[in-house]
Amino acid sequence: KAGVTQTPRYLIKTRGQQVTLSCSPISGHRSVSWYQQTPGQGLQFLFEYFSETQRNKGNFPGRFSGRQFSNSRSEMNVSTLELGDSALYLCASRKRDSYNEQFFGPGTRLTVL
Amino acid sequence: QQPVQSPQAVILREGEDAVINCSSSKALYSVHWYRQKHGEAPVFLMILLKGGEQKGHDKISASFNEKKQQSSLYLTASQLSYSGTYFCGTEIQTGANNLFFGTGTRLTVIP
């Protein structure tokens, strides 16, 4: 069974630009969550999608947005990039309910110059 | 809503035991534990649900004190492969599907 895949793996952008990251969940998993990981803050929850609907959102500005497609693939978009957006962005998929573990993808390393 | 983990870092010799703690100021429905090795994605270790259900790897044990909103991960007879950063993630209600993670505990096992 293929794992969670994320593309691209590495990205370098400049301030003010926007970026779109992609996540393909494990087959059959309909929930996709996104996290930002930085050395100081650890794993910070961005948002979670289930069946194309955003069910939960963390405490991030509106520049961070996402969506999910009918095949459960998800994209995350960050507009007007700031230096502080440099981080590892992880997505994780899981089956429907809380009794199932999340499976993390390898992440996208975003560097904002 | 971010849980607090302690200690922040610990160094063990092979064969020694360690306990990693996770506490929340909110009433919890579940606690999830993950381990992340350097340069890799976090990997699932254990889920503990309110009411006592648990799911996880045989060699890992953990507890969940529902009254204190605390969870502890027990690593016994540590091996070099246990090294990594351990994260607890908490959910405050069933079906919430939004895990809030602590800042992690860096565990280093030395020969």
Side-chain angles (χ1 to χ4, degrees), chain B residues 20-91:
Chain B
I20 300 173
N21 300 302
C22 175
S23 64
S24 173
S25 60
K26 303 270 187 182
L28 299 176
Y29 175 75
S30 69
V31 180
H32 300 226
W33 287 95
Y34 288 80
R35 177 174 61 212
Q36 185 178 31
K37 293 182 179 288
H38 184 69
E40 299 180 9
V43 173
F44 167 76
L45 295 175
M46 175 79 72
I47 290 175
L48 302 102
L49 296 181
K50 182 178 179 179
E53 279 188 275
Q54 293 189 1
K55 175 180 175 182
H57 294 286
D58 293 340
K59 296 187 177 180
I60 301 285
S61 65
S63 64
F64 178 18
N65 186 322
E66 295 174 30
K67 289 184 180 179
K68 293 185 177 180
Q69 311 308 327
Q70 292 176 349
S71 178
S72 295
L73 186 71
Y74 305 97
L75 302 168
T76 57
S78 59
Q79 304 170 20
L80 295 176
S81 61
Y82 287 10
S83 293
T85 301
Y86 289 76
F87 293 97
C88 72
T90 56
E91 287 181 315

Side-chain angles (χ1 to χ4, degrees), chain A residues 86-107:
Chain A
S86 294
L88 179 68
Y89 290 88
L90 293 161
C91 84
S93 75
R94 74 198 289 193
K95 292 181 183 177
R96 184 188 177 94
D97 56 42
S98 296
Y99 195 52
N100 290 288
E101 64 268 38
Q102 291 193 342
F103 292 85
F104 283 85

Side-chain angles (χ1 to χ4, degrees), chain B residues 10-18 75 78 82 107-111:
Chain B
V10 60
I11 299 175
L12 297 175
R13 291 198 177 276
E14 272 187 291
E16 290 183 337
D17 303 337
L75 302 168
S78 59
Y82 287 10
L107 178 76
T108 304
V109 181
I110 58 177

